[in-house]
């Protein structure tokens, strides 16, 4: 037995000696010194892997980072995008951080960059109709903006701009080398863009997006550097705090296993990298007003622009002769439907309704049109399709009578009885619809209906007792009785400078 144990020790010592020799051989091949991992990493296969890892690391290192000081919701599942609740009108800080490594982007060192902060729709469906949605919001909230900068609280921002045509965007310059914080206020709430049906509808999510640009050769801030965004929902004041508390209480009631499926709530919201907003940045040169709004349709109307009298939807009296052509017919082709949309100032929707015939448009309900076009244009399109005109404030009936003299003091012949003129020709009256109770509106409507050059009308008079002529003023028009009947004639003004209109 002792002899067997002795043999095992001999064999084991021999194996150890052979293993040590093999290790020493590796060291001798790599060099006389100690074992070096850098020599192994210098092999081609490791060089290739190292280069790929370094490229990935560079791609994941953005030049800037934007952090919004608002807590994220705890009721968001893992691998989903974070969601942050904001209160309407409350100021929230967005910290603009320089995240560059040493030597990165030397061209912007010591220079200013421009950032544009926007509040935009998260849902793709609403992004397609963003212009219409914002126009509807503007119509319901005249004079308000969707997004504002709280300038007194902000730090490090220079030359702030708010474009009147871009109610959802603000822009400013800042120095990446200095501490910069922009305080924003969101004035729209998520439920304002939700079709109201039975109450309690969920609000639509928005996105806060920051796009940063540097100067090009011409000194304009148009070269894109970085973009990032986050998902938000906006509530009425104190509503975000209540929603955050509700989510937290719901999570506390869940089991430990269920909680593992959700993200923890963080005190701040880090904006994640995204594609730049498709709008081309505006030239940043001076304080002159912007020549045109950004949110416009790419398809422009080719028809002539009507004058101020006929362009208003309320001026129905100007289009008496065209009333038969105002309403779209079910038999209208797609091309005729496009022409009708252009004629009625719906050029923004010609592409959207490019395949619609007259019958297709007329089948849409009011709710459908509001959903597609927004509140303002949806209601206007519905009223146009149903030929619903605004009720005029005053209606008068007017017939033109040939004057018997050419001076202001001349007296016209009395018209015959039974609504006939002295020659036996029946007097034909025209309806004049007034939306504004002013004298200038009376003159404008008379000029339009009776083809009188408006620029030639000097004054409008009303024939009073004993044939005197009384100047028609705004107060007199306001005291006209509805559906009053007037005969009128024209006389040349003194020195042949235009004409006067005499109502009787």
């Amino acid at each position: 037995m002792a002899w067997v144990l002795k043999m095992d020790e001999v064999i084991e010592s021999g194996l150890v000696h052979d293993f040590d020799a093999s290790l020493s051989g590796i060291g001798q091949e790599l060099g006389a010194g100690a074992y070096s991992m850098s020599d192994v990493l210098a092999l081609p296969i490791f060089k290739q892997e190292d280069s790929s890892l370094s490229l990935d690391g560079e791609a994941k290192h953005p030049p800037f980072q934007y952090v919004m000081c608002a807590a994220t919701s705890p009721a968001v599942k893992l691998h989903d995008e974070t969601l942050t609740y904001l209160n309407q009108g409350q100021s929230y800080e967005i910290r603009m951080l320089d995240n560059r490594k040493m030597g990165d982007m030397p061209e912007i060192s010591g220079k200013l960059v421009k950032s544009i902060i926007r509040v935009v729709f998260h849902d793709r469906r609403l992004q397609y109709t963003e212009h219409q949605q914002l126009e509807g919001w503007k119509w319901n909230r005249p004079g308000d903006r969707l997004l504002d900068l709280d300038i007194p609280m902000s730090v490090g921002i220079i030359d702030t701009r708010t474009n009147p045509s871009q109610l959802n965007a603000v822009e400013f310059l800042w120095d990446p080398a200095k501490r910069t914080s922009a305080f924003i206020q969101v004035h729209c709430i998520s439920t304002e863009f939700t079709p109201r049906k039975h109450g309690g509808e969920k609000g639509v999510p928005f996105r806060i997006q920051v796009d940063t640009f540097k100067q090009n050769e011409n000194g304009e801030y148009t070269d894109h550097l970085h973009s990032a965004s986050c998902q938000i929902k906006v509530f009425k004041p104190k509503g975000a705090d209540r929603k955050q508390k509700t989510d937290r209480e719901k999570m506390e009631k869940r089991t430990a296993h269920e909680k593992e499926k959700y993200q923890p709530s963080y005190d701040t919201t880090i904006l994640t990298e995204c594609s730049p907003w498709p709008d081309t940045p505006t030239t940043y040169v001076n304080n002159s007003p912007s020549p045109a709004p950004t949110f416009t349709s790419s398809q422009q109307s080719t028809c002539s622009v009507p004058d101020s009298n006929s362009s208003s939807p309320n001026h129905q009296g100007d289009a008496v002769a065209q009333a038969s052509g105002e309403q779209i017919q079910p038999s209208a082709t797609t091309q005729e439907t496009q022409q009708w949309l252009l004629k009625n100032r719906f050029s923004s929707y010609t592409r959207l309704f490019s395949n619609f015939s007259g019958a297709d448009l007329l089948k849409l309900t009011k709710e459908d049109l509001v959903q597609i076009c927004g509140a303002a244009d949806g209601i206007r399109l519905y009223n146009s399709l149903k030929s619903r005109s605004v009720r005029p404030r005053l209606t008068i009936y007017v017939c033109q009578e040939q004057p018997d003299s050419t001076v202001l003091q001349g007296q016209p012949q009395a018209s015959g009885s039974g609504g006939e003129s002295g020659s036996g020709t029946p007097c034909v009256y025209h309806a004049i619809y007034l939306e504004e109770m002013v004298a200038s509106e009376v003159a404008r409507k008379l000029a339009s209906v009776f083809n009188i050059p408006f620029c030639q009308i000097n004054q409008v008079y009303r024939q009073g007792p004993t044939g005197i002529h009384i100047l028609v003023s705004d107060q007199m028009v306001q005291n006209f009785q509805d559906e009053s009947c007037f005969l009128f004639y024209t006389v040349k003004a003194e020195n042949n400078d235009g004409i006067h209109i005499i109502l009787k």
Side-chain angles (χ1 to χ4, degrees):
M1 187 66 179
W3 180 81
V4 174
L5 292 175
K6 185 69 175 176
M7 289 296 296
D8 290 341
E9 291 178 1
V10 172
I11 294 172
E12 185 176 355
S13 62
L15 291 175
V16 171
H17 182 269
D18 293 340
F19 184 70
D20 290 339
S22 64
L23 287 178
S24 63
I26 293 177
Q28 290 172 359
E29 290 177 2
L30 292 174
Y35 174 85
S36 175
M37 180 61 73
S38 62
D39 294 331
V40 179
L41 293 177
L43 295 173
I45 182 172
F46 289 108
K47 279 186 176 180
Q48 188 175 5
E49 289 183 1
D50 183 65
S51 63
S52 63
L53 288 172
S54 63
L55 289 174
D56 291 341
E58 290 177 3
K60 294 179 181 179
H61 187 81
F64 303 106
Q65 190 174 56
Y66 318 115
V67 180
M68 184 166 62
C69 296
T72 61
S73 169
V76 177
K77 292 186 176 181
L78 291 173
H79 311 298
D80 285 350
E81 186 179 11
T82 60
L83 176 61
T84 305
Y85 303 133
L86 304 183
N87 288 315
Q88 179 189 26
Q90 182 173 329
S91 296
Y92 291 92
E93 180 185 8
I94 297 181
R95 296 173 183 170
M96 318 290 289
L97 305 177
D98 186 358
N99 199 35
R100 293 174 296 159
K101 292 181 179 180
M102 186 68 69
D104 286 354
M105 295 186 180
E107 68 274 11
I108 65 172
S109 296
K111 296 184 179 180
L112 300 176
V113 295
K114 183 183 81 168
S115 287
I116 302 176
I117 302 179
R118 292 181 176 88
V119 54
V120 296
F121 291 111
H122 174 77
D123 294 342
R124 187 74 62 183
R125 175 182 59 85
L126 292 174
Q127 290 178 9
Y128 290 140
T129 59
E130 181 181 82
H131 172 65
Q132 293 77 28
Q133 298 290 342
L134 298 185
E135 284 296 316
W137 189 89
K138 179 181 177 181
W139 183 74
N140 290 319
R141 303 267 299 273
D144 290 348
R145 293 183 55 85
L146 284 85
L147 183 68
D148 267 326
L149 268 177
D150 190 344
I151 298 178
M153 294 188 67
S154 300
V155 178
I157 62 175
I158 306 170
D159 199 7
T160 59
R161 304 287 181 89
T162 55
N163 193 328
S165 64
Q166 293 180 319
L167 302 179
N168 64 330
V170 294
E171 56 186 64
F172 53 87
L173 302 179
W174 60 287
D175 186 350
K178 298 180 180 179
R179 178 196 167 195
T180 305
S181 290
F183 282 78
I184 63 167
Q185 298 172 338
V186 183
H187 299 292
C188 57
I189 58 177
S190 295
T191 53
E192 287 184 286
F193 300 94
T194 303
R196 301 186 182 277
K197 296 179 180 179
H198 308 292
E201 291 83 9
K202 294 179 64 176
V204 300
F206 300 119
R207 300 195 69 81
I208 293 291
Q209 176 154 339
V210 181
D211 299 294
T212 300
F213 303 87
K214 66 177 181 179
Q215 285 181 311
N216 60 13
E217 298 112 358
N218 300 324
E220 300 171 352
Y221 290 91
T222 55
D223 290 353
H224 178 259
L225 289 174
H226 181 247
S227 294
S229 65
C230 66
Q231 184 183 190
I232 64 168
K233 277 192 176 183
V234 186
F235 297 82
K236 290 183 178 180
K238 302 295 184 182
D241 305 322
R242 290 191 294 268
K243 178 62 175 173
Q244 187 81 357
K245 181 181 178 182
T246 301
D247 286 357
R248 188 168 57 251
E249 290 174 349
K250 286 182 179 179
M251 293 306 300
E252 290 174 354
K253 295 178 181 179
R254 296 182 182 273
T255 63
H257 179 69
E258 290 176 332
K259 289 180 181 179
E260 294 177 355
K261 300 178 182 179
Y262 291 85
Q263 301 180 20
S265 177
Y266 300 99
D267 293 336
T268 58
T269 303
I270 299 177
L271 280 65
T272 56
E273 282 194 282
C274 64
S275 301
W277 194 249
D279 288 345
T280 303
T282 55
T283 302
Y284 210 91
V285 287
N286 53 43
N287 289 319
S288 60
S290 177
T294 300
F295 297 113
T296 55
S297 172
S298 58
Q299 191 162 352
Q300 298 180 354
S301 170
T302 57
C303 63
S304 60
V305 179
D307 58 22
S308 60
N309 298 333
S310 60
S311 63
S312 172
N314 298 338
H315 292 155
Q316 303 295 331
D318 294 347
V320 174
Q322 303 175 3
S324 60
E326 289 287 336
Q327 186 176 7
I328 190 169
Q329 301 298 324
S331 58
T333 63
T334 55
Q335 184 176 3
E336 292 171 342
T337 302
Q338 294 287 297
Q339 294 174 354
W340 183 88
L341 289 170
L342 292 171
K343 182 179 179 182
N344 289 272
R345 297 176 293 110
F346 294 104
S347 57
S348 301
Y349 307 99
T350 51
R351 179 178 297 179
L352 190 61
F353 295 118
S354 58
N355 295 321
F356 279 64
S357 64
D360 295 331
L361 267 185
L362 292 169
K363 288 177 183 178
L364 296 176
T365 64
K366 184 177 181 179
E367 290 74 17
D368 294 336
L369 293 171
V370 169
Q371 181 73 16
I372 295 171
C373 306
D377 284 342
I379 294 173
R380 188 166 69 87
L381 179 53
Y382 176 78
N383 290 336
S384 299
L385 290 171
K386 305 302 178 184
S387 295
R388 294 187 175 185
S389 59
V390 178
R391 184 178 180 85
R393 298 179 64 185
L394 179 68
T395 302
I396 59 176
Y397 304 111
V398 182
C399 176
Q400 185 173 14
E401 182 184 54
Q402 294 299 324
D404 197 34
S405 61
T406 59
V407 294
L408 182 60
Q409 289 76 16
Q411 301 298 324
Q413 292 182 347
S415 60
S417 60
E420 295 184 356
S421 63
S423 61
T425 304
C427 295
V428 178
Y429 286 80
H430 295 268
I432 303 294
Y433 302 104
L434 301 178
E435 286 81 30
E436 299 180 30
M437 307 281 280
V438 292
S440 59
E441 181 80 350
V442 175
R444 188 180 298 111
K445 297 288 184 175
L446 288 171
S448 174
V449 173
F450 294 97
N451 296 322
I452 302 172
F454 178 68
C455 59
Q456 293 186 10
I457 299 177
N458 282 1
Q459 298 291 349
V460 179
Y461 296 97
R462 184 176 182 182
Q463 185 171 307
T466 67
I468 63 174
H469 296 98
I470 307 168
L471 180 66
V472 175
S473 62
D474 295 348
Q475 189 174 5
M476 179 183 288
V477 174
Q478 293 166 8
N479 285 278
F480 279 171
Q481 291 187 358
D482 196 24
E483 297 190 338
S484 298
C485 297
F486 295 96
L487 289 172
F488 85 92
Y489 61 96
T490 60
V491 295
K492 291 182 180 179
E494 298 79 2
N495 301 324
N496 291 325
D497 184 17
I499 61 173
H500 298 299
I501 294 180
I502 314 297
L503 298 176
K504 67 173 189 174

